[in-house]
Amino acid sequence: MNQQRVKELLQEALQENESLYLIDLQFLSDNKIKVIVDGDLGVPLSECIRISRKIEHNLDREEEDFSLEVTTPDIARPLTVNRQYKKNINRILQVKTATEEFEGTLTEVTEDTITLQWKAREPKPVGKGKHTVEKTITLAYQDIKEAKVKIIF
């Protein structure tokens, strides 16, 4: 399997639509190629078909047989690319670091960090009872072990 040729064809297909980006490219056993793409505005089925055809029609099945799957990341898959974070601003994320877990609304994304915001009930500084406080944390990508969009029905 000419992996470099597949990568080139995939890159050409992605360049035809600037809103699409690669999440993962896998070369599996039995010459199976798995491509996972996402988009700033989502990925219509027609784009998956277009990418698949771009790759498939430019590889020779006579030379080497293969199977090709072009898909989008499923909802339970963790975020891995900066553009995925940007796409999910104002959504609730569940984020795990090496020592803690956070759940909050993604409010800001930079090249190196994300910012989450949430409300928490804490004891009052004076007197009995609790009050609601606004919490914010900024996390560096390197500290994030896993980040998923919380699914709300």
Side-chain angles (χ1 to χ4, degrees):
M1 173 63 58
N2 186 345
Q3 294 182 5
Q4 188 57 39
R5 179 70 179 137
V6 172
K7 290 176 186 176
E8 289 168 5
L9 291 168
L10 176 58
Q11 197 58 41
E12 288 174 21
L14 291 174
Q15 286 174 351
E16 290 175 22
N17 184 340
E18 296 288 322
S19 74
L20 299 180
Y21 49 92
L22 180 66
I23 299 297
D24 197 13
L25 171 61
Q26 299 173 0
F27 295 95
L28 306 169
S29 61
D30 298 334
N31 282 345
K32 182 173 181 171
I33 304 166
K34 184 171 184 177
V35 178
I36 302 175
V37 295
D38 205 348
D40 297 325
L41 305 170
V43 183
L45 179 60
S46 61
E47 284 298 293
C48 289
I49 293 169
R50 183 185 62 77
I51 292 167
S52 177
R53 287 181 178 158
K54 175 77 172 184
I55 296 169
E56 197 167 342
H57 291 171
N58 289 291
L59 294 177
D60 188 3
R61 283 195 184 272
E62 297 293 324
E63 192 176 297
E64 195 159 15
D65 196 26
F66 63 92
S67 67
L68 174 63
E69 178 184 358
V70 178
T71 185
T72 58
D74 68 36
I75 194 115
R77 186 180 175 99
L79 304 180
T80 56
V81 178
N82 181 281
R83 283 174 75 173
Q84 285 181 296
Y85 286 95
K86 288 179 181 176
K87 172 180 154 179
N88 287 293
I89 287 177
N90 295 323
R91 286 198 165 148
I92 298 172
L93 294 189
Q94 296 170 320
V95 179
K96 294 180 185 176
T97 65
T99 57
E100 296 179 90
E101 291 185 26
F102 301 97
E103 184 176 298
T105 302
L106 180 63
T107 58
E108 185 180 359
V109 176
T110 68
E111 292 302 314
D112 303 317
T113 64
I114 65 168
T115 302
L116 296 176
Q117 200 169 43
W118 68 97
K119 292 181 180 177
R121 298 281 293 161
E122 292 186 349
K124 290 181 179 178
V126 177
K128 294 182 180 179
K130 293 185 175 190
H131 67 287
T132 302
V133 293
E134 195 69 39
K135 296 248 184 188
T136 302
I137 188 164
T138 300
L139 299 167
Y141 289 117
Q142 67 218 32
D143 296 335
I144 298 171
K145 299 295 179 210
E146 181 180 85
K148 291 183 177 181
V149 176
K150 183 174 182 179
I151 304 163
I152 301 172
F153 295 99

